[in-house]
Amino acid sequence: AAVVLSCARSSSSRGMVKILANGEIVPDNDPRAQASGSTGSMGPTQRRPEKGRPSESKAARPAPEAGEENVIVGDLARMVGVYGKSQEVMGREIPLIYLIVGGVLALLWLSGNTNAIRMIAFALIAYVMYTQYTRAQRGGSAGPGTEDNSSGGHVINRGR
């Protein structure tokens, strides 16, 4: 894991240095730099992928609290009347609301009505913000058995 840097020694010649894995900076002609340079032909800005580590796109997310469910599968499915229903697609059970939402979005996209998609996305974001706000007002943000020292949404905590 050596990184090659260039440094100007004079106006006519350029020398190269390497930074070893332990952080030490050594000239190119140092035996330690030459030994670390034989690890491969990768350039200075390329890195080998680390094996056994999850990719950045699969970063760990905190688990939702008990009783908290997806807005689309929960609230929207109840509004439409398909809560709990699913359809088997290519051997997998898919909630019916996902198929409905996907179909509506695909229809809007194919018809070129992207403004409707933007309005739907804005309405969804506003709804999620509102439900989280009301849940916090009710004191639902703290899990069961935890000491809640918040003011319950009020500016001044007036000694409960």
Side-chain angles (χ1 to χ4, degrees):
V3 178
V4 179
L5 297 175
S6 64
C7 65
R9 291 188 183 164
S10 68
S11 60
S12 63
S13 68
R14 294 182 65 126
M16 301 293 276
V17 297
K18 287 191 178 180
I19 301 175
L20 300 178
N22 64 2
E24 190 176 350
I25 301 172
V26 295
D28 256 355
N29 56 4
D30 189 289
R32 294 173 293 173
Q34 293 168 354
S36 69
S38 64
T39 59
S41 62
M42 301 190 101
T45 59
Q46 295 176 336
R47 292 186 177 194
R48 289 188 180 100
E50 296 183 28
K51 294 180 181 165
R53 292 188 60 181
S55 65
E56 294 296 323
S57 63
K58 297 179 184 176
R61 294 183 202 133
E65 294 179 10
E68 189 176 328
E69 67 181 342
N70 186 333
V71 174
I72 294 174
V73 173
D75 297 342
L76 184 61
R78 282 187 191 92
M79 285 184 227
V80 174
V82 294
Y83 181 74
K85 296 181 182 177
S86 62
Q87 182 70 34
E88 187 172 331
V89 178
M90 292 191 281
R92 293 181 180 244
E93 288 290 321
I94 309 248
L96 189 56
I97 191 66
Y98 284 156
L99 298 174
I100 293 170
V101 168
V104 168
L105 290 176
L107 181 68
L108 289 171
W109 180 266
L110 291 174
S111 68
N113 200 349
T114 55
N115 285 332
I117 295 173
R118 289 179 184 146
M119 290 188 302
I120 290 170
F122 179 76
L124 179 68
I125 291 169
Y127 177 75
V128 169
M129 288 173 56
Y130 173 73
T131 56
Q132 287 181 348
Y133 174 75
T134 55
R135 187 177 304 134
Q137 289 295 315
R138 288 190 314 252
S141 60
T146 59
E147 181 65 29
D148 185 19
N149 291 327
S150 69
S151 64
H154 302 286
V155 177
I156 299 173
N157 188 0
R158 296 183 179 161
R160 295 181 220 180

